[in-house]
Amino acid sequence: MNVMNASPRRKELTRLAAQLFVQEGFDRTTVRMLAQEMGIKSGSLFHHFKDKQEILAAVIEEGTHNALVIARRALDNCDEHPEARLRAMARAHLETLFTDRNAHVVALFEWRRLASDASAHLSHLRDAYEALWVQVIDDALEAGLIHGDCFLVSRFILGALNWTVRWYDPGGPRTPDDLADELVAMITAR
Amino acid sequence: MNVMNASPRRKELTRLAAQLFVQEGFDRTTVRMLAQEMGIKSGSLFHHFKDKQEILAAVIEEGTHNALVIARRALDNCDEHPEARLRAMARAHLETLFTDRNAHVVALFEWRRLASDASAHLSHLRDAYEALWVQVIDDALEAGLIHGDCFLVSRFILGALNWTVRWYDPGGPRTPDDLADELVAMITAR
DNA sequence: TGGATAACCAAGCAAGCGCTAGGGCGAATG
DNA sequence: CATTCGCCCTAGCGCTTGCTTGGTTATCCA
């Protein structure tokens, strides 16, 4: 499954690529910019990655994988109250967006740039992550904590969370956890 | 204020450009693709627009302007109940995203690609649009319809709405109005 | 000690990019 | 009737792009 990030060197390069992709966007990031950031020449890049697409695929796999792992850990480490679990998921989501700020952002905002074969190969990771959300939201609905259609609710919540990337200032007074808590409070207020 | 889209021909070209920008993204859309879609040669494009940046600016101005006009009209045509006004804004927002599906989407998702001078020139339009939202949300907060911080609530709502572009299928069973109503119901449920 | 291997570089190619120069042509205008 | 004007074309320039080729090291293990 995870053939992609074998060597530690490649993993480090993937991390740097993620950073640049967030700053500039995938299309505007040239292989020469990537190489310079990595301290090598542009040709050397293709010793580690078959082409530019594969760099993107590696970053997105990393980002989605991280999000999945962190969300699972968050669910394991919280009690069974539907509201606590909802809050844990929201916090975990923002944690992957802002503390390890890069790979998951790329996964969310540059998914369209994936070639269709890579997209097909990675979609199961994304599906597994979204399945976590669906389950947590289903429980919250059943407990009467929130109201509406599960599919729509999950899309709305993820939309609100993902869009934070566009406006949130990590230097400001609010922490990512504050945001998560406020969102959960907003949709569970009675 | 609106020096940008003078001639009707240019307005039509702007409409076509918006369509391509949504499909492909600004960076991946070449001037040759734009020209072909418009039925002219690539060189002829620069009779209407100074450069590619100006096409983007024209599209974004169009999209933001439309959103502002439609939102104002929606507010004029609904009663004064805070919930009705909230629903009207959400419906108007999705209307500009999905019925005239292009220019506003570009304004939201390609704003970063604007050169700083164009961005500065257009930001007042965006600010005016967001001011409408802030006012409507403030009223809803005061009426006790929703709870939380006005700034955060508006960001969350707009995030949830904007993200629909990524998953909503216009061919499906739900109308954009359905989405808007469900979102409002979700955050006002007691 | 010798051969494989991983990591890199120098040089550059073919294709595509945004954009320009200079001219043609029919409709509107004086 | 002459001139302007809006709209378009042909041709191509200069540059950047992703990527390739062929070769050089340093490291590691048999």
Side-chain angles (χ1 to χ4, degrees):
Chain A
M1 175 206 290
N2 196 353
V3 203
M4 309 204 82
N5 284 341
S7 77
R9 178 65 175 147
R10 177 167 157 144
K11 191 149 194 167
E12 168 69 6
L13 297 184
T14 301
R15 209 183 52 82
L16 289 169
Q19 188 181 330
L20 261 181
F21 288 166
V22 169
Q23 275 176 39
E24 307 287 330
F26 175 69
D27 290 324
R28 277 177 134 76
T29 305
T30 69
V31 293
R32 278 167 246 268
M33 294 165 64
L34 287 165
Q36 187 171 25
E37 193 77 11
M38 297 164 178
I40 59 180
K41 298 295 176 182
S42 70
S44 310
L45 250 176
F46 299 93
H47 172 73
H48 301 277
F49 302 92
K50 167 169 138 271
D51 53 22
K52 198 188 169 191
Q53 261 288 317
E54 197 180 278
I55 308 181
L56 178 62
V59 170
I60 289 185
E61 179 180 30
E62 174 81 5
T64 313
H65 178 75
N66 278 354
L68 185 57
V69 166
I70 291 183
R72 279 183 179 147
R73 189 165 54 211
L75 286 181
D76 286 346
N77 293 348
C78 77
D79 67 52
E80 293 179 6
H81 239 80
E83 186 168 350
R85 291 170 69 80
L86 198 57
R87 192 159 24 229
M89 280 296 285
R91 285 183 175 214
H93 193 84
L94 294 187
E95 181 188 341
T96 61
L97 291 183
F98 294 121
T99 67
D100 158 39
R101 165 154 198 155
N102 300 310
H104 194 201
V105 175
V106 174
L108 290 173
F109 284 84
E110 307 282 0
W111 189 278
R112 297 174 58 201
R113 302 298 164 213
L114 273 179
S116 55
D117 53 343
S119 171
H121 179 255
L122 293 179
S123 59
H124 74 279
L125 266 178
R126 189 198 45 190
D127 293 347
Y129 181 67
E130 290 189 355
L132 281 186
W133 271 100
V134 166
Q135 191 183 321
V136 168
I137 288 172
D138 243 343
D139 293 347
L141 286 169
E142 209 161 320
L145 197 68
I146 51 180
H147 308 273
D149 174 70
C150 176
F151 174 80
L152 283 183
V153 168
S154 67
R155 288 292 197 270
F156 286 148
I157 292 178
L158 280 171
L161 290 173
N162 292 339
W163 202 255
T164 58
V165 172
R166 293 291 179 86
W167 57 266
Y168 175 61
D169 170 25
R174 279 181 266 257
T175 68
D177 281 357
D178 290 340
L179 298 190
D181 294 352
E182 281 258 19
L183 177 63
V184 172
M186 179 178 121
I187 61 178
T188 59
R190 75 240 84 211
Chain B
M1 176 207 288
N2 195 351
V3 202
M4 311 205 81
N5 285 339
S7 77
R9 178 65 175 149
R10 178 166 156 143
K11 191 147 194 171
E12 167 69 6
L13 297 183
T14 301
R15 210 184 51 83
L16 289 169
Q19 187 180 331
L20 261 181
F21 288 165
V22 169
Q23 273 175 39
E24 306 287 329
F26 175 70
D27 290 326
R28 276 177 133 80
T29 304
T30 69
V31 294
R32 281 168 244 267
M33 294 165 64
L34 287 164
Q36 186 171 27
E37 193 76 11
M38 297 164 179
I40 59 180
K41 298 296 175 180
S42 70
S44 310
L45 250 176
F46 298 94
H47 171 73
H48 301 277
F49 302 92
K50 167 168 138 270
D51 53 21
K52 199 188 167 191
Q53 261 289 317
E54 197 180 279
I55 307 181
L56 177 62
V59 170
I60 289 186
E61 179 179 31
E62 174 79 6
T64 313
H65 178 74
N66 279 352
L68 186 56
V69 167
I70 290 181
R72 279 181 179 149
R73 190 164 54 209
L75 286 181
D76 286 347
N77 294 347
C78 77
D79 68 52
E80 292 179 6
H81 237 80
E83 186 169 349
R85 291 168 71 79
L86 199 56
R87 192 161 20 232
M89 280 296 284
R91 285 183 173 214
H93 193 83
L94 293 186
E95 180 189 340
T96 60
L97 291 183
F98 295 122
T99 67
D100 158 39
R101 167 159 193 150
N102 299 310
H104 194 203
V105 175
V106 174
L108 290 174
F109 284 85
E110 307 281 0
W111 189 280
R112 297 173 58 200
R113 303 298 165 214
L114 273 179
S116 55
D117 52 343
S119 172
H121 178 255
L122 293 179
S123 60
H124 74 279
L125 267 179
R126 190 198 45 191
D127 292 347
Y129 181 69
E130 290 190 357
L132 281 186
W133 270 101
V134 166
Q135 191 183 322
V136 167
I137 287 172
D138 243 343
D139 293 346
L141 285 170
E142 211 162 319
L145 197 67
I146 51 181
H147 308 273
D149 173 72
C150 177
F151 173 79
L152 284 183
V153 168
S154 68
R155 288 293 197 269
F156 286 149
I157 291 178
L158 280 171
L161 289 174
N162 292 340
W163 202 255
T164 58
V165 171
R166 293 291 180 86
W167 56 267
Y168 174 62
D169 170 24
R174 278 182 267 256
T175 68
D177 281 358
D178 290 340
L179 297 190
D181 294 352
E182 281 259 19
L183 177 63
V184 172
M186 179 178 123
I187 61 177
T188 60
R190 79 239 82 215

